[in-house]
Amino acid sequence: MCKIDISRLSFNHMTAKKYDLYSLVDTCSHLGIRYVGMWRHKIAEVGLEQAANLLQAYGIRASSLCRGGMFPASNEEEFADHIDDNKRAIEEAAYIDAEVLVLVCGPAADKDLSKARYMVEKGIDALLPYARSCGIRLGIEPMHPVFASDRSVIVTMEQANDLIDKFNDEYLGLVLDTFHIWWDPKIDEQIRRAAGRILGFHVNDYPRVVDRSPLVAREMMGKGVIDIRRIRIAVESAGYMGPIEVEIFNDQLWNMPLSELLSYTKESFLQHV
Amino acid sequence: MCKIDISRLSFNHMTAKKYDLYSLVDTCSHLGIRYVGMWRHKIAEVGLEQAANLLQAYGIRASSLCRGGMFPASNEEEFADHIDDNKRAIEEAAYIDAEVLVLVCGPAADKDLSKARYMVEKGIDALLPYARSCGIRLGIEPMHPVFASDRSVIVTMEQANDLIDKFNDEYLGLVLDTFHIWWDPKIDEQIRRAAGRILGFHVNDYPRVVDRSPLVAREMMGKGVIDIRRIRIAVESAGYMGPIEVEIFNDQLWNMPLSELLSYTKESFLQHV
């Protein structure tokens, strides 16, 4: 049956974005959830030191920190600013002992996707030595092509694998998210190719019809068209046995009381992941 | 400068979906537009014979008929119905002397994308002899992956090219649409690979942020992030010199008076395509 173990569940903060880190960590702890996916702006609400203390006090691990990336820029100065910001993200990831810094690589500054993709490569090249010195691995998250205009010019696992091949550095890998990769005709071959480089795995579902802004169109596992278990097993076959983050941007879920949402998440995780 | 000639402009009926074929053809004719992209449900409003007569009377060509496809089914009977419906679409395309029948290949009936993709192949195989006997070419339109759940499991040019390689039949080719292909890291290589098989080309723009249902997120050329001219020149370099359809699903444009919309379209076409 290949059932999933609840010990691998990580709850991404953005799935309950109205709540602060105190409530999140406390409620996760009560429900036996051992990992959370962290976001920089949610850490900033409580302060970095306090965030690290909270995790430690509750014995909860940060499965990832979101996000670094956003490399493309319209000029050299802006590009340098992006690199500086990424260095701060690496420092924060190290401070909270996150397993990986997620790279959402950024959109093009103009209409030139090739140039933007080149800047992503240049940005990763500039960051890797610092990431290594801080002990933080960088995980490229290929995003669904619907976000190519505003979030990431890296839209397929094949692109991410190609980039990782170029660097061949143990501090660079992929973060996979079912919403972003489920449609890809090369999903199986590229997950296999990513063996040993998968640094994170996010789950959520894709609606039968995207009738709203795609940013908030993600669904709870089981509510959409993705065969999530099949993908999870493929990801495990490629050697990834780490935490699995539930990351869902969805207005209805955002309006649920936290403990109810977390219980619903656990149940859906066990049934569909 | 590689400027486009207005003689290649085709106006797709769905860009002005509130208007009937009479108004469309009449207004196109007044503005010197020589092609229209046709839809089966808009033909049904006036009747097939009348539609053909109208085109002939005004000397306007149908650059394409939309749509065939929608192959995947949950059982054999449903699949057979889909094939029958496609045969009627081929007959209609022949009756109005359309240059190509566009195949929007359909979503999966369940969560199994591989099975759905196999049914697309089986469906094309079942249709090709009939298409040949009617003198109608079939154009696979790879759709943006955001529509993988409700419109097409064929989401990349590479998939379409692979399928076309399998059949190697002059009656099977591709229809390219800037909205659907602009994000693809392999856009240049796959357009080159499609040389001699491109049966249609649609233009429209992609917004910087998709803040609404992606179905109606298309923009007038020049209003978004796509380097449309670059793609048009690539498509021409691959040998396609036929009509270029402006196909835009957009509420604001749907509310414009027809002649104003057509003038705006002509101007944007000349400037950005």
Side-chain angles (χ1 to χ4, degrees), chain B residues 12 38-41 64-68 101-102 104 141 247:
Chain B
N12 186 289
M38 308 275 280
W39 283 73
R40 292 180 73 196
H41 68 288
S64 73
L65 177 64
C66 216
R67 62 190 183 202
L101 175 67
V102 177
V104 176
E141 185 175 22
E247 184 186 44

Side-chain angles (χ1 to χ4, degrees), chain A residues 154-170:
Chain A
I154 305 298
V155 289
T156 63
M157 283 182 287
E158 189 169 14
Q159 267 184 300
N161 274 323
D162 285 349
L163 262 175
I164 293 165
D165 274 350
K166 279 194 184 176
F167 288 102
N168 191 25
D169 186 312
E170 59 182 323

Side-chain angles (χ1 to χ4, degrees), chain A residues 117 146 149 183 206 208, chain B residues 117 146 149 183 186 206 208:
Chain A
R117 285 163 178 155
V146 77
S149 56
W183 58 272
Y206 195 92
R208 171 58 75 183
Chain B
R117 284 164 178 155
V146 77
S149 56
W183 58 272
K186 297 189 168 176
Y206 195 92
R208 171 59 73 184

Side-chain angles (χ1 to χ4, degrees), chain B residues 103-270:
Chain B
L103 300 183
V104 176
C105 291
D110 51 26
K111 295 185 177 186
D112 191 342
L113 289 174
S114 299
K115 191 173 71 186
R117 284 164 178 155
Y118 175 70
M119 279 192 266
V120 170
E121 192 178 327
K122 222 174 112 191
I124 291 173
D125 191 45
L127 280 185
L128 266 173
Y130 195 67
R132 197 179 303 115
S133 74
C134 296
I136 287 297
R137 292 181 301 174
L138 307 177
I140 300 170
E141 185 175 22
M143 296 222 117
H144 194 292
V146 77
F147 301 121
S149 56
D150 65 340
R151 279 182 167 67
S152 177
V153 291
I154 305 298
V155 289
T156 63
M157 282 183 288
E158 188 169 14
Q159 267 184 299
N161 274 323
D162 286 348
L163 261 175
I164 293 165
D165 273 350
K166 279 194 185 176
F167 288 103
N168 192 25
D169 185 312
E170 61 182 321
Y171 282 89
L172 184 65
L174 285 100
V175 171
L176 303 180
D177 182 309
T178 51
F179 186 95
H180 296 313
I181 67 172
W182 76 280
W183 58 272
D184 191 338
K186 297 189 168 176
I187 185 168
D188 293 324
E189 120 193 10
Q190 292 298 323
I191 288 176
R192 279 194 300 273
R193 186 179 162 204
R197 312 160 151 182
I198 301 172
L199 305 181
F201 181 41
H202 298 179
V203 292
N204 50 61
D205 218 329
Y206 195 92
R208 171 59 73 184
V209 178
V210 181
D211 57 3
R212 53 198 187 277
S213 164
L215 184 63
V216 292
R218 303 188 201 190
E219 298 284 353
M220 182 57 80
M221 298 81 73
K223 292 293 181 190
V225 298
I226 306 179
D227 189 344
I228 297 172
R229 180 153 295 171
R230 202 190 71 80
I231 298 178
R232 190 260 296 171
I233 291 169
V235 167
E236 286 178 359
S237 301
Y240 182 78
M241 295 301 290
I244 299 176
E245 282 188 27
V246 175
E247 184 186 44
I248 312 177
F249 294 44
N250 178 304
D251 281 303
Q252 278 182 301
L253 299 183
W254 283 332
N255 285 323
M256 281 176 75
L258 185 56
S259 61
E260 198 181 307
L261 171 59
L262 283 177
S263 300
Y264 177 35
T265 300
K266 276 179 76 169
E267 188 189 308
S268 306
F269 186 84
L270 287 171

Side-chain angles (χ1 to χ4, degrees), chain A residues 3-11 34-36 61-64 99-100 137 174-176 196-203 231-246 269 273:
Chain A
K3 282 274 185 195
I4 191 78
D5 192 296
I6 201 71
S7 68
R8 293 182 64 198
L9 170 60
S10 175
F11 190 84
R34 298 167 47 190
Y35 293 96
V36 290
R61 280 293 305 272
S63 51
S64 73
E99 305 214 338
V100 58
R137 293 182 300 174
L174 284 100
V175 171
L176 302 180
R197 314 161 151 180
I198 301 172
L199 305 180
F201 181 41
H202 298 178
V203 291
I231 299 177
R232 190 260 296 170
I233 291 170
V235 167
E236 286 179 0
S237 301
Y240 182 77
M241 296 300 291
I244 298 176
E245 281 188 29
V246 175
F269 186 82
V273 176

